Every structure is written in C-alpha cells, then in structure tokens.
Amino acid sequence: QVQLAESGGGLVQPGGSLRLSCAASGSISRVNAMGWYRQAPGKQRELVAAISSGGSTKYGQSVKGRFTISRDNAKNTVYLQMNSLKPEDTAVYYCNAGASIATMFLNGYWGLGTQVTVSS
C-alpha cells in the first residue's frame, strides 16, 4: 500500500498564491507518477497537474501558465505551486499517485484531500 499525506491548503484572496505538498510513504516502488486532482461541489474530479518520475508533466487546461508541479524524488514528495488564484480554483485538492500518469486516476492511490478556498 501507498499512503499520501497532503498539506498546504487554506484560504487565499483572488490573485494570491498557495503551495500544496504531498508526501508518499509505504510501497514507494509502485509509484512512478504523482499529481493532483480537484473536485468542486457538484462537479466531477478533474486533473490539475501530474508529473512522472522522469519529469514529464501534464496540466489541466484551466491551470496552464498559473500552476507549476514539481517533484523531489529523494523525498517522494510532489509540490503544486499555485499562482494567480481565481475563485473558480476553489475545490478540494486530492493527491494521486500510481504507476503512470495515464493509469493513476483509475488504478492509483489517493490522499484524503485538502481544501483550497479562493475568496475575498
């Protein structure tokens, strides 16, 4: 099993920044890709950003140019730097990890989620 521990959510004003962290532990050998999904009330869970162990990245269209995903393989930790935040970024952000970016959503591991609220 793989455990994912998220941190860094909170309340921020529009235009502000937040950084999320997610540390993986347990059966780390099963984890090549890590990333973030988010889910707002009444909406489907959607990809925010993902990164492979080799550094390849994938971003959701709505966050391109504002969010940056990075990874410290030595610490088994993934980071999401969120800049120029908008009210529509408000959601619960879930850390996700698995064998690949393509398969981790359906067959990977999930954190408990951290709330991000963008409001004045």
Side-chain angles (χ1 to χ4, degrees), residues 87-110:
E88 51 264 44
D89 294 316
T90 295
V92 178
Y93 284 68
Y94 295 93
C95 184
N96 180 218
S100 71
I101 292 177
T103 63
M104 67 184 192
F105 180 82
L106 290 178
N107 298 316
Y109 303 91
W110 293 92

Side-chain angles (χ1 to χ4, degrees), residues 14-34:
S17 298
L18 278 176
R19 190 174 87 147
L20 305 183
S21 300
C22 173
S25 61
S27 301
I28 301 300
S29 61
R30 300 180 180 184
V31 173
N32 289 313
M34 298 183 71

Side-chain angles (χ1 to χ4, degrees), residues 30-50:
R30 300 180 180 184
V31 173
N32 289 313
M34 298 183 71
W36 297 90
Y37 281 77
R38 68 186 182 187
Q39 189 165 20
K43 295 188 176 182
Q44 290 187 330
R45 195 169 294 192
E46 63 175 0
L47 173 70
V48 178

